[in-house]
Amino acid sequence: SAVISQKPSRDICQRGTSLTIQCQVDSQVTMMFWYRQQPGQSLTLIATANQGSEATYESGFVIDKFPISRPNLTFSTLTVSNMSPEDSSIYLCSVRDGLSYEQYFGPGTRLTVT
Amino acid sequence: GQQLNQSPQSMFIQEGEDVSMNCTSSSIFNTWLWYKQDPGEGPVLLIALYKAGELTSNGRLTAQFGITRKDSFLNISASIPSDVGIYFCAGQFDAGGTSYGKLTFGQGTILTVHP
């Protein structure tokens, strides 16, 4: 399985600011995804990070709020823009194995907005 | 959109007991995945299921893909304290296009094991 790292692991931010979360994979992967896990809740897909093209966002998530970059097959960033306390969540990067269709998750970034 | 109902929401069991949890969907999936999440960590993949009726084991864990493709269950036998955590089911339906690779998650089952 792929080894996925995320930076930062956690952060406390002021409302109105932005935070960029990095996701690094130890092998080239076609499909990378960003999920949000609100406190005590399940995981919700934010978007699919497409290499070389704009990300595909799920209903309820927009590019202005969650811009995503995917410059190559091993790296992606998610920015949480103009943060409010409602954005306090764990943000998780995941990748899909092209052969087995299994999906693996990074350790997550725990964000608290004050 | 697709919704997954996972039950039970929580379980309190004694060490050594067997555990069973399940997920049902309003629509079909062609892949079911089961994850475990420990506090402060990302979900870890336990078992992946690809065919209706498939029964797959991973150590003390056994999972099945329902015949209707709308449900799955996970069993843990002879539970131990390190089984504590939150277990999530996730369904995937690859219809191509924008749905490709998208996982829909259940609400999770919180498992507590008393020594």
Side-chain angles (χ1 to χ4, degrees), chain B residues 24-75:
Chain B
T24 58
S25 169
S26 57
S27 52
I28 63 173
F29 289 107
N30 51 27
T31 303
W32 282 93
L33 303 170
W34 283 91
Y35 291 88
K36 177 176 184 261
Q37 186 175 30
D38 292 328
E41 304 288 333
V44 173
L45 181 63
L46 299 174
I47 291 180
L49 301 159
Y50 301 104
K51 296 180 184 178
E54 179 182 355
L55 185 71
T56 297
S57 294
N58 178 9
R60 294 179 296 106
L61 278 60
T62 302
Q64 184 157 28
F65 193 145
I67 290 291
T68 65
R69 296 171 63 192
K70 292 184 179 181
D71 63 316
S72 178
F73 72 73
L74 175 71
N75 287 341

mmCIF file of all heavy atoms in Angstrom, chain B residues 24-75:
data_model
loop_
_atom_site.group_PDB
_atom_site.id
_atom_site.type_symbol
_atom_site.label_atom_id
_atom_site.label_comp_id
_atom_site.label_asym_id
_atom_site.label_seq_id
_atom_site.Cartn_x
_atom_site.Cartn_y
_atom_site.Cartn_z
ATOM 1 N N THR B 24 -26.029 -0.891 5.259
ATOM 2 C CA THR B 24 -27.000 -1.053 4.186
ATOM 3 C C THR B 24 -27.083 0.234 3.397
ATOM 4 O O THR B 24 -26.871 1.331 3.925
ATOM 5 C CB THR B 24 -28.389 -1.419 4.727
ATOM 6 O OG1 THR B 24 -28.822 -0.392 5.622
ATOM 7 C CG2 THR B 24 -28.363 -2.749 5.451
ATOM 8 N N SER B 25 -27.381 0.077 2.122
ATOM 9 C CA SER B 25 -27.397 1.217 1.213
ATOM 10 C C SER B 25 -28.733 1.308 0.491
ATOM 11 O O SER B 25 -29.421 0.304 0.301
ATOM 12 C CB SER B 25 -26.266 1.054 0.192
ATOM 13 O OG SER B 25 -26.394 1.999 -0.847
ATOM 14 N N SER B 26 -29.053 2.513 0.065
ATOM 15 C CA SER B 26 -30.267 2.709 -0.721
ATOM 16 C C SER B 26 -30.038 2.357 -2.186
ATOM 17 O O SER B 26 -30.998 2.237 -2.954
ATOM 18 C CB SER B 26 -30.745 4.163 -0.606
ATOM 19 O OG SER B 26 -29.723 5.052 -1.022
ATOM 20 N N SER B 27 -28.789 2.207 -2.567
ATOM 21 C CA SER B 27 -28.480 1.856 -3.951
ATOM 22 C C SER B 27 -27.268 0.929 -3.975
ATOM 23 O O SER B 27 -26.631 0.702 -2.954
ATOM 24 C CB SER B 27 -28.226 3.113 -4.779
ATOM 25 O OG SER B 27 -27.281 3.934 -4.165
ATOM 26 N N ILE B 28 -26.961 0.397 -5.125
ATOM 27 C CA ILE B 28 -25.912 -0.624 -5.202
ATOM 28 C C ILE B 28 -24.520 -0.024 -5.251
ATOM 29 O O ILE B 28 -24.328 1.109 -5.684
ATOM 30 C CB ILE B 28 -26.123 -1.548 -6.434
ATOM 31 C CG1 ILE B 28 -26.007 -0.734 -7.734
ATOM 32 C CG2 ILE B 28 -27.451 -2.274 -6.359
ATOM 33 C CD1 ILE B 28 -26.025 -1.606 -8.976
ATOM 34 N N PHE B 29 -23.569 -0.809 -4.781
ATOM 35 C CA PHE B 29 -22.162 -0.492 -4.921
ATOM 36 C C PHE B 29 -21.477 -1.651 -5.626
ATOM 37 O O PHE B 29 -21.943 -2.774 -5.580
ATOM 38 C CB PHE B 29 -21.519 -0.275 -3.543
ATOM 39 C CG PHE B 29 -21.960 0.994 -2.863
ATOM 40 C CD1 PHE B 29 -22.824 0.961 -1.782
ATOM 41 C CD2 PHE B 29 -21.491 2.223 -3.297
ATOM 42 C CE1 PHE B 29 -23.231 2.131 -1.155
ATOM 43 C CE2 PHE B 29 -21.883 3.401 -2.670
ATOM 44 C CZ PHE B 29 -22.755 3.351 -1.605
ATOM 45 N N ASN B 30 -20.331 -1.383 -6.238
ATOM 46 C CA ASN B 30 -19.579 -2.495 -6.797
ATOM 47 C C ASN B 30 -18.297 -2.780 -6.037
ATOM 48 O O ASN B 30 -17.537 -3.680 -6.389
ATOM 49 C CB ASN B 30 -19.312 -2.300 -8.297
ATOM 50 C CG ASN B 30 -18.710 -0.962 -8.614
ATOM 51 O OD1 ASN B 30 -18.050 -0.364 -7.785
ATOM 52 N ND2 ASN B 30 -18.959 -0.490 -9.828
ATOM 53 N N THR B 31 -18.026 -2.004 -4.999
ATOM 54 C CA THR B 31 -16.927 -2.284 -4.081
ATOM 55 C C THR B 31 -17.357 -1.857 -2.677
ATOM 56 O O THR B 31 -17.964 -0.794 -2.521
ATOM 57 C CB THR B 31 -15.644 -1.516 -4.465
ATOM 58 O OG1 THR B 31 -15.280 -1.834 -5.806
ATOM 59 C CG2 THR B 31 -14.496 -1.862 -3.532
ATOM 60 N N TRP B 32 -17.027 -2.710 -1.691
ATOM 61 C CA TRP B 32 -17.232 -2.338 -0.286
ATOM 62 C C TRP B 32 -15.869 -2.380 0.399
ATOM 63 O O TRP B 32 -15.081 -3.302 0.175
ATOM 64 C CB TRP B 32 -18.160 -3.320 0.427
ATOM 65 C CG TRP B 32 -19.618 -3.137 0.144
ATOM 66 C CD1 TRP B 32 -20.339 -3.779 -0.817
ATOM 67 C CD2 TRP B 32 -20.539 -2.280 0.835
ATOM 68 N NE1 TRP B 32 -21.646 -3.370 -0.767
ATOM 69 C CE2 TRP B 32 -21.801 -2.447 0.237
ATOM 70 C CE3 TRP B 32 -20.422 -1.383 1.896
ATOM 71 C CZ2 TRP B 32 -22.941 -1.757 0.665
ATOM 72 C CZ3 TRP B 32 -21.548 -0.698 2.316
ATOM 73 C CH2 TRP B 32 -22.793 -0.886 1.706
ATOM 74 N N LEU B 33 -15.611 -1.375 1.220
ATOM 75 C CA LEU B 33 -14.365 -1.311 1.978
ATOM 76 C C LEU B 33 -14.702 -1.111 3.449
ATOM 77 O O LEU B 33 -15.657 -0.394 3.791
ATOM 78 C CB LEU B 33 -13.495 -0.139 1.488
ATOM 79 C CG LEU B 33 -13.137 -0.131 -0.006
ATOM 80 C CD1 LEU B 33 -12.494 1.201 -0.386
ATOM 81 C CD2 LEU B 33 -12.216 -1.274 -0.336
ATOM 82 N N TRP B 34 -13.901 -1.755 4.311
ATOM 83 C CA TRP B 34 -14.063 -1.573 5.760
ATOM 84 C C TRP B 34 -12.770 -0.979 6.319
ATOM 85 O O TRP B 34 -11.672 -1.466 6.009
ATOM 86 C CB TRP B 34 -14.375 -2.896 6.447
ATOM 87 C CG TRP B 34 -15.796 -3.328 6.255
ATOM 88 C CD1 TRP B 34 -16.296 -4.124 5.264
ATOM 89 C CD2 TRP B 34 -16.912 -2.971 7.077
ATOM 90 N NE1 TRP B 34 -17.655 -4.276 5.409
ATOM 91 C CE2 TRP B 34 -18.058 -3.580 6.522
ATOM 92 C CE3 TRP B 34 -17.060 -2.190 8.228
ATOM 93 C CZ2 TRP B 34 -19.335 -3.440 7.079
ATOM 94 C CZ3 TRP B 34 -18.321 -2.043 8.789
ATOM 95 C CH2 TRP B 34 -19.444 -2.672 8.213
ATOM 96 N N TYR B 35 -12.927 0.086 7.139
ATOM 97 C CA TYR B 35 -11.795 0.797 7.713
ATOM 98 C C TYR B 35 -11.921 0.824 9.236
ATOM 99 O O TYR B 35 -13.019 0.774 9.796
ATOM 100 C CB TYR B 35 -11.752 2.251 7.229
ATOM 101 C CG TYR B 35 -11.415 2.446 5.781
ATOM 102 C CD1 TYR B 35 -12.416 2.449 4.804
ATOM 103 C CD2 TYR B 35 -10.096 2.647 5.376
ATOM 104 C CE1 TYR B 35 -12.111 2.637 3.469
ATOM 105 C CE2 TYR B 35 -9.782 2.837 4.043
ATOM 106 C CZ TYR B 35 -10.792 2.835 3.095
ATOM 107 O OH TYR B 35 -10.488 3.031 1.771
ATOM 108 N N LYS B 36 -10.767 0.963 9.891
ATOM 109 C CA LYS B 36 -10.718 1.222 11.335
ATOM 110 C C LYS B 36 -9.952 2.527 11.547
ATOM 111 O O LYS B 36 -8.897 2.735 10.932
ATOM 112 C CB LYS B 36 -10.021 0.080 12.078
ATOM 113 C CG LYS B 36 -9.864 0.313 13.586
ATOM 114 C CD LYS B 36 -9.258 -0.891 14.240
ATOM 115 C CE LYS B 36 -9.182 -0.697 15.760
ATOM 116 N NZ LYS B 36 -7.871 -0.281 16.210
ATOM 117 N N GLN B 37 -10.489 3.370 12.413
ATOM 118 C CA GLN B 37 -9.838 4.640 12.717
ATOM 119 C C GLN B 37 -9.576 4.731 14.213
ATOM 120 O O GLN B 37 -10.493 4.625 15.025
ATOM 121 C CB GLN B 37 -10.696 5.824 12.259
ATOM 122 C CG GLN B 37 -9.997 7.160 12.424
ATOM 123 C CD GLN B 37 -10.810 8.316 11.860
ATOM 124 O OE1 GLN B 37 -12.045 8.277 11.854
ATOM 125 N NE2 GLN B 37 -10.143 9.352 11.376
ATOM 126 N N ASP B 38 -8.306 4.925 14.561
ATOM 127 C CA ASP B 38 -7.922 5.173 15.942
ATOM 128 C C ASP B 38 -7.899 6.674 16.189
ATOM 129 O O ASP B 38 -7.736 7.452 15.242
ATOM 130 C CB ASP B 38 -6.549 4.569 16.224
ATOM 131 C CG ASP B 38 -6.563 3.050 16.186
ATOM 132 O OD1 ASP B 38 -7.604 2.459 16.553
ATOM 133 O OD2 ASP B 38 -5.550 2.451 15.794
ATOM 134 N N PRO B 39 -8.027 7.102 17.441
ATOM 135 C CA PRO B 39 -8.029 8.543 17.739
ATOM 136 C C PRO B 39 -6.791 9.239 17.209
ATOM 137 O O PRO B 39 -5.660 8.759 17.397
ATOM 138 C CB PRO B 39 -8.061 8.571 19.273
ATOM 139 C CG PRO B 39 -8.699 7.285 19.657
ATOM 140 C CD PRO B 39 -8.260 6.282 18.637
ATOM 141 N N GLY B 40 -6.990 10.348 16.499
ATOM 142 C CA GLY B 40 -5.864 11.125 15.999
ATOM 143 C C GLY B 40 -5.184 10.547 14.771
ATOM 144 O O GLY B 40 -4.133 11.054 14.356
ATOM 145 N N GLU B 41 -5.781 9.508 14.194
ATOM 146 C CA GLU B 41 -5.176 8.863 13.032
ATOM 147 C C GLU B 41 -6.139 8.877 11.850
ATOM 148 O O GLU B 41 -7.332 9.119 12.003
ATOM 149 C CB GLU B 41 -4.820 7.409 13.354
ATOM 150 C CG GLU B 41 -3.911 7.225 14.560
ATOM 151 C CD GLU B 41 -2.498 7.664 14.266
ATOM 152 O OE1 GLU B 41 -2.083 7.617 13.092
ATOM 153 O OE2 GLU B 41 -1.806 8.082 15.222
ATOM 154 N N GLY B 42 -5.585 8.595 10.666
ATOM 155 C CA GLY B 42 -6.451 8.410 9.514
ATOM 156 C C GLY B 42 -6.996 6.995 9.484
ATOM 157 O O GLY B 42 -6.475 6.095 10.148
ATOM 158 N N PRO B 43 -8.073 6.763 8.725
ATOM 159 C CA PRO B 43 -8.637 5.414 8.628
ATOM 160 C C PRO B 43 -7.637 4.439 8.004
ATOM 161 O O PRO B 43 -6.930 4.788 7.054
ATOM 162 C CB PRO B 43 -9.851 5.597 7.722
ATOM 163 C CG PRO B 43 -10.167 7.053 7.766
ATOM 164 C CD PRO B 43 -8.860 7.737 7.961
ATOM 165 N N VAL B 44 -7.625 3.220 8.519
ATOM 166 C CA VAL B 44 -6.758 2.169 7.997
ATOM 167 C C VAL B 44 -7.628 1.105 7.344
ATOM 168 O O VAL B 44 -8.599 0.635 7.949
ATOM 169 C CB VAL B 44 -5.922 1.539 9.125
ATOM 170 C CG1 VAL B 44 -5.138 0.336 8.614
ATOM 171 C CG2 VAL B 44 -4.973 2.583 9.715
ATOM 172 N N LEU B 45 -7.296 0.735 6.117
ATOM 173 C CA LEU B 45 -8.090 -0.249 5.384
ATOM 174 C C LEU B 45 -7.920 -1.633 6.002
ATOM 175 O O LEU B 45 -6.801 -2.113 6.210
ATOM 176 C CB LEU B 45 -7.651 -0.275 3.917
ATOM 177 C CG LEU B 45 -8.414 -1.234 3.006
ATOM 178 C CD1 LEU B 45 -9.890 -0.843 2.911
ATOM 179 C CD2 LEU B 45 -7.790 -1.274 1.618
ATOM 180 N N LEU B 46 -9.066 -2.268 6.289
ATOM 181 C CA LEU B 46 -9.059 -3.617 6.877
ATOM 182 C C LEU B 46 -9.318 -4.677 5.811
ATOM 183 O O LEU B 46 -8.600 -5.664 5.715
ATOM 184 C CB LEU B 46 -10.139 -3.724 7.961
ATOM 185 C CG LEU B 46 -10.022 -2.780 9.155
ATOM 186 C CD1 LEU B 46 -11.241 -2.911 10.038
ATOM 187 C CD2 LEU B 46 -8.747 -3.062 9.935
ATOM 188 N N ILE B 47 -10.398 -4.495 5.080
ATOM 189 C CA ILE B 47 -10.831 -5.489 4.098
ATOM 190 C C ILE B 47 -11.477 -4.776 2.916
ATOM 191 O O ILE B 47 -12.205 -3.797 3.102
ATOM 192 C CB ILE B 47 -11.843 -6.485 4.722
ATOM 193 C CG1 ILE B 47 -11.153 -7.387 5.757
ATOM 194 C CG2 ILE B 47 -12.497 -7.340 3.649
ATOM 195 C CD1 ILE B 47 -12.073 -8.399 6.409
ATOM 196 N N ALA B 48 -11.238 -5.289 1.709
ATOM 197 C CA ALA B 48 -11.881 -4.799 0.493
ATOM 198 C C ALA B 48 -12.648 -5.945 -0.148
ATOM 199 O O ALA B 48 -12.145 -7.070 -0.225
ATOM 200 C CB ALA B 48 -10.840 -4.245 -0.478
ATOM 201 N N LEU B 49 -13.857 -5.647 -0.616
ATOM 202 C CA LEU B 49 -14.744 -6.651 -1.218
ATOM 203 C C LEU B 49 -15.153 -6.174 -2.599
ATOM 204 O O LEU B 49 -15.544 -5.014 -2.769
ATOM 205 C CB LEU B 49 -15.992 -6.838 -0.348
ATOM 206 C CG LEU B 49 -15.750 -7.282 1.091
ATOM 207 C CD1 LEU B 49 -16.953 -6.948 1.959
ATOM 208 C CD2 LEU B 49 -15.460 -8.771 1.154
ATOM 209 N N TYR B 50 -15.105 -7.086 -3.585
ATOM 210 C CA TYR B 50 -15.308 -6.672 -4.967
ATOM 211 C C TYR B 50 -16.479 -7.358 -5.679
ATOM 212 O O TYR B 50 -16.889 -6.905 -6.747
ATOM 213 C CB TYR B 50 -14.044 -6.920 -5.778
ATOM 214 C CG TYR B 50 -12.845 -6.193 -5.238
ATOM 215 C CD1 TYR B 50 -11.870 -6.887 -4.512
ATOM 216 C CD2 TYR B 50 -12.679 -4.826 -5.413
ATOM 217 C CE1 TYR B 50 -10.765 -6.213 -4.012
ATOM 218 C CE2 TYR B 50 -11.577 -4.164 -4.908
ATOM 219 C CZ TYR B 50 -10.629 -4.859 -4.210
ATOM 220 O OH TYR B 50 -9.541 -4.207 -3.702
ATOM 221 N N LYS B 51 -16.947 -8.493 -5.117
ATOM 222 C CA LYS B 51 -17.986 -9.234 -5.823
ATOM 223 C C LYS B 51 -19.157 -9.514 -4.898
ATOM 224 O O LYS B 51 -18.962 -9.843 -3.726
ATOM 225 C CB LYS B 51 -17.452 -10.585 -6.296
ATOM 226 C CG LYS B 51 -16.348 -10.518 -7.318
ATOM 227 C CD LYS B 51 -15.914 -11.920 -7.699
ATOM 228 C CE LYS B 51 -14.741 -11.898 -8.658
ATOM 229 N NZ LYS B 51 -14.287 -13.267 -8.981
ATOM 230 N N ALA B 52 -20.369 -9.440 -5.449
ATOM 231 C CA ALA B 52 -21.556 -9.794 -4.676
ATOM 232 C C ALA B 52 -21.420 -11.222 -4.164
ATOM 233 O O ALA B 52 -21.066 -12.132 -4.920
ATOM 234 C CB ALA B 52 -22.808 -9.657 -5.539
ATOM 235 N N GLY B 53 -21.677 -11.390 -2.856
ATOM 236 C CA GLY B 53 -21.566 -12.703 -2.236
ATOM 237 C C GLY B 53 -20.181 -13.035 -1.706
ATOM 238 O O GLY B 53 -20.012 -14.011 -0.970
ATOM 239 N N GLU B 54 -19.202 -12.228 -2.027
ATOM 240 C CA GLU B 54 -17.823 -12.499 -1.610
ATOM 241 C C GLU B 54 -17.695 -12.464 -0.099
ATOM 242 O O GLU B 54 -18.231 -11.583 0.562
ATOM 243 C CB GLU B 54 -16.887 -11.465 -2.238
ATOM 244 C CG GLU B 54 -15.434 -11.615 -1.859
ATOM 245 C CD GLU B 54 -14.562 -10.526 -2.486
ATOM 246 O OE1 GLU B 54 -15.091 -9.734 -3.276
ATOM 247 O OE2 GLU B 54 -13.369 -10.480 -2.159
ATOM 248 N N LEU B 55 -16.976 -13.441 0.434
ATOM 249 C CA LEU B 55 -16.673 -13.515 1.866
ATOM 250 C C LEU B 55 -15.157 -13.497 1.991
ATOM 251 O O LEU B 55 -14.475 -14.350 1.415
ATOM 252 C CB LEU B 55 -17.251 -14.791 2.470
ATOM 253 C CG LEU B 55 -17.124 -14.976 3.983
ATOM 254 C CD1 LEU B 55 -18.035 -14.008 4.713
ATOM 255 C CD2 LEU B 55 -17.479 -16.409 4.372
ATOM 256 N N THR B 56 -14.616 -12.532 2.726
ATOM 257 C CA THR B 56 -13.165 -12.371 2.821
ATOM 258 C C THR B 56 -12.751 -12.245 4.271
ATOM 259 O O THR B 56 -13.421 -11.574 5.056
ATOM 260 C CB THR B 56 -12.725 -11.119 2.045
ATOM 261 O OG1 THR B 56 -13.031 -11.297 0.664
ATOM 262 C CG2 THR B 56 -11.222 -10.885 2.176
ATOM 263 N N SER B 57 -11.633 -12.887 4.621
ATOM 264 C CA SER B 57 -11.129 -12.825 5.986
ATOM 265 C C SER B 57 -9.761 -12.167 6.022
ATOM 266 O O SER B 57 -8.984 -12.255 5.066
ATOM 267 C CB SER B 57 -11.026 -14.228 6.588
ATOM 268 O OG SER B 57 -12.309 -14.794 6.739
ATOM 269 N N ASN B 58 -9.490 -11.525 7.152
ATOM 270 C CA ASN B 58 -8.183 -10.927 7.430
ATOM 271 C C ASN B 58 -7.921 -11.152 8.908
ATOM 272 O O ASN B 58 -8.313 -10.359 9.755
ATOM 273 C CB ASN B 58 -8.204 -9.442 7.075
ATOM 274 C CG ASN B 58 -6.886 -8.759 7.381
ATOM 275 O OD1 ASN B 58 -5.899 -9.433 7.713
ATOM 276 N ND2 ASN B 58 -6.861 -7.450 7.287
ATOM 277 N N GLY B 59 -7.281 -12.282 9.224
ATOM 278 C CA GLY B 59 -7.063 -12.632 10.629
ATOM 279 C C GLY B 59 -8.384 -12.920 11.313
ATOM 280 O O GLY B 59 -9.162 -13.769 10.864
ATOM 281 N N ARG B 60 -8.649 -12.180 12.394
ATOM 282 C CA ARG B 60 -9.903 -12.379 13.136
ATOM 283 C C ARG B 60 -11.085 -11.641 12.509
ATOM 284 O O ARG B 60 -12.203 -11.706 13.022
ATOM 285 C CB ARG B 60 -9.710 -11.914 14.577
ATOM 286 C CG ARG B 60 -8.718 -12.765 15.382
ATOM 287 C CD ARG B 60 -8.544 -12.238 16.815
ATOM 288 N NE ARG B 60 -7.950 -10.902 16.817
ATOM 289 C CZ ARG B 60 -8.599 -9.785 17.083
ATOM 290 N NH1 ARG B 60 -9.907 -9.829 17.387
ATOM 291 N NH2 ARG B 60 -7.985 -8.623 17.076
ATOM 292 N N LEU B 61 -10.849 -10.944 11.450
ATOM 293 C CA LEU B 61 -11.902 -10.172 10.792
ATOM 294 C C LEU B 61 -12.436 -10.924 9.575
ATOM 295 O O LEU B 61 -11.676 -11.520 8.819
ATOM 296 C CB LEU B 61 -11.362 -8.830 10.309
ATOM 297 C CG LEU B 61 -11.256 -7.677 11.297
ATOM 298 C CD1 LEU B 61 -10.347 -7.999 12.459
ATOM 299 C CD2 LEU B 61 -10.798 -6.415 10.598
ATOM 300 N N THR B 62 -13.762 -10.893 9.435
ATOM 301 C CA THR B 62 -14.417 -11.472 8.266
ATOM 302 C C THR B 62 -15.454 -10.486 7.769
ATOM 303 O O THR B 62 -16.212 -9.925 8.558
ATOM 304 C CB THR B 62 -15.120 -12.800 8.622
ATOM 305 O OG1 THR B 62 -14.166 -13.707 9.154
ATOM 306 C CG2 THR B 62 -15.761 -13.415 7.382
ATOM 307 N N ALA B 63 -15.490 -10.280 6.461
ATOM 308 C CA ALA B 63 -16.468 -9.357 5.890
ATOM 309 C C ALA B 63 -17.126 -10.009 4.687
ATOM 310 O O ALA B 63 -16.525 -10.854 4.015
ATOM 311 C CB ALA B 63 -15.803 -8.041 5.477
ATOM 312 N N GLN B 64 -18.370 -9.631 4.434
ATOM 313 C CA GLN B 64 -19.089 -10.163 3.291
ATOM 314 C C GLN B 64 -19.758 -9.052 2.500
ATOM 315 O O GLN B 64 -20.259 -8.079 3.066
ATOM 316 C CB GLN B 64 -20.147 -11.183 3.711
ATOM 317 C CG GLN B 64 -20.858 -11.841 2.516
ATOM 318 C CD GLN B 64 -21.478 -13.180 2.835
ATOM 319 O OE1 GLN B 64 -21.859 -13.454 3.967
ATOM 320 N NE2 GLN B 64 -21.586 -14.030 1.825
ATOM 321 N N PHE B 65 -19.765 -9.224 1.211
ATOM 322 C CA PHE B 65 -20.432 -8.349 0.253
ATOM 323 C C PHE B 65 -21.794 -8.966 -0.019
ATOM 324 O O PHE B 65 -21.892 -10.072 -0.523
ATOM 325 C CB PHE B 65 -19.590 -8.339 -1.028
ATOM 326 C CG PHE B 65 -19.915 -7.276 -2.031
ATOM 327 C CD1 PHE B 65 -18.893 -6.709 -2.764
ATOM 328 C CD2 PHE B 65 -21.205 -6.861 -2.290
ATOM 329 C CE1 PHE B 65 -19.158 -5.736 -3.735
ATOM 330 C CE2 PHE B 65 -21.485 -5.900 -3.233
ATOM 331 C CZ PHE B 65 -20.450 -5.342 -3.969
ATOM 332 N N GLY B 66 -22.877 -8.252 0.317
ATOM 333 C CA GLY B 66 -24.207 -8.810 0.177
ATOM 334 C C GLY B 66 -24.588 -9.137 -1.263
ATOM 335 O O GLY B 66 -24.120 -8.478 -2.201
ATOM 336 N N ILE B 67 -25.432 -10.142 -1.411
ATOM 337 C CA ILE B 67 -25.863 -10.597 -2.731
ATOM 338 C C ILE B 67 -26.554 -9.482 -3.517
ATOM 339 O O ILE B 67 -26.397 -9.366 -4.735
ATOM 340 C CB ILE B 67 -26.823 -11.800 -2.590
ATOM 341 C CG1 ILE B 67 -26.051 -13.023 -2.111
ATOM 342 C CG2 ILE B 67 -27.502 -12.109 -3.919
ATOM 343 C CD1 ILE B 67 -25.094 -13.581 -3.139
ATOM 344 N N THR B 68 -27.315 -8.653 -2.838
ATOM 345 C CA THR B 68 -28.042 -7.572 -3.515
ATOM 346 C C THR B 68 -27.130 -6.405 -3.890
ATOM 347 O O THR B 68 -27.557 -5.473 -4.570
ATOM 348 C CB THR B 68 -29.168 -7.033 -2.623
ATOM 349 O OG1 THR B 68 -28.580 -6.424 -1.459
ATOM 350 C CG2 THR B 68 -30.130 -8.142 -2.209
ATOM 351 N N ARG B 69 -25.892 -6.417 -3.425
ATOM 352 C CA ARG B 69 -24.899 -5.345 -3.608
ATOM 353 C C ARG B 69 -25.261 -4.076 -2.847
ATOM 354 O O ARG B 69 -24.653 -3.034 -3.074
ATOM 355 C CB ARG B 69 -24.698 -5.034 -5.091
ATOM 356 C CG ARG B 69 -24.117 -6.208 -5.870
ATOM 357 C CD ARG B 69 -24.131 -5.964 -7.356
ATOM 358 N NE ARG B 69 -23.303 -4.833 -7.726
ATOM 359 C CZ ARG B 69 -23.319 -4.269 -8.937
ATOM 360 N NH1 ARG B 69 -24.126 -4.717 -9.870
ATOM 361 N NH2 ARG B 69 -22.518 -3.244 -9.208
ATOM 362 N N LYS B 70 -26.244 -4.205 -1.944
ATOM 363 C CA LYS B 70 -26.650 -3.031 -1.174
ATOM 364 C C LYS B 70 -26.277 -3.149 0.297
ATOM 365 O O LYS B 70 -26.686 -2.308 1.097
ATOM 366 C CB LYS B 70 -28.170 -2.842 -1.290
ATOM 367 C CG LYS B 70 -28.640 -2.446 -2.670
ATOM 368 C CD LYS B 70 -30.133 -2.183 -2.661
ATOM 369 C CE LYS B 70 -30.633 -1.751 -4.032
ATOM 370 N NZ LYS B 70 -32.089 -1.472 -4.015
ATOM 371 N N ASP B 71 -25.545 -4.188 0.676
ATOM 372 C CA ASP B 71 -25.206 -4.325 2.078
ATOM 373 C C ASP B 71 -23.907 -5.103 2.256
ATOM 374 O O ASP B 71 -23.451 -5.815 1.357
ATOM 375 C CB ASP B 71 -26.340 -4.995 2.850
ATOM 376 C CG ASP B 71 -26.609 -6.405 2.378
ATOM 377 O OD1 ASP B 71 -26.634 -6.633 1.146
ATOM 378 O OD2 ASP B 71 -26.790 -7.286 3.233
ATOM 379 N N SER B 72 -23.330 -4.923 3.451
ATOM 380 C CA SER B 72 -22.107 -5.620 3.806
ATOM 381 C C SER B 72 -22.052 -5.744 5.315
ATOM 382 O O SER B 72 -22.617 -4.911 6.032
ATOM 383 C CB SER B 72 -20.881 -4.857 3.289
ATOM 384 O OG SER B 72 -19.687 -5.502 3.671
ATOM 385 N N PHE B 73 -21.397 -6.786 5.812
ATOM 386 C CA PHE B 73 -21.194 -6.880 7.251
ATOM 387 C C PHE B 73 -19.728 -7.168 7.549
ATOM 388 O O PHE B 73 -18.984 -7.667 6.709
ATOM 389 C CB PHE B 73 -22.108 -7.930 7.887
ATOM 390 C CG PHE B 73 -21.732 -9.362 7.589
ATOM 391 C CD1 PHE B 73 -20.629 -9.965 8.181
ATOM 392 C CD2 PHE B 73 -22.501 -10.115 6.720
ATOM 393 C CE1 PHE B 73 -20.297 -11.276 7.911
ATOM 394 C CE2 PHE B 73 -22.170 -11.435 6.447
ATOM 395 C CZ PHE B 73 -21.068 -12.015 7.031
ATOM 396 N N LEU B 74 -19.348 -6.810 8.780
ATOM 397 C CA LEU B 74 -18.003 -7.088 9.291
ATOM 398 C C LEU B 74 -18.133 -7.806 10.629
ATOM 399 O O LEU B 74 -18.868 -7.341 11.501
ATOM 400 C CB LEU B 74 -17.213 -5.788 9.479
ATOM 401 C CG LEU B 74 -15.836 -5.936 10.128
ATOM 402 C CD1 LEU B 74 -14.861 -6.599 9.163
ATOM 403 C CD2 LEU B 74 -15.284 -4.567 10.557
ATOM 404 N N ASN B 75 -17.451 -8.930 10.770
ATOM 405 C CA ASN B 75 -17.404 -9.651 12.031
ATOM 406 C C ASN B 75 -15.985 -9.635 12.578
ATOM 407 O O ASN B 75 -15.019 -9.774 11.814
ATOM 408 C CB ASN B 75 -17.842 -11.117 11.850
ATOM 409 C CG ASN B 75 -19.328 -11.249 11.639
ATOM 410 O OD1 ASN B 75 -20.108 -10.348 11.955
ATOM 411 N ND2 ASN B 75 -19.741 -12.370 11.073
#
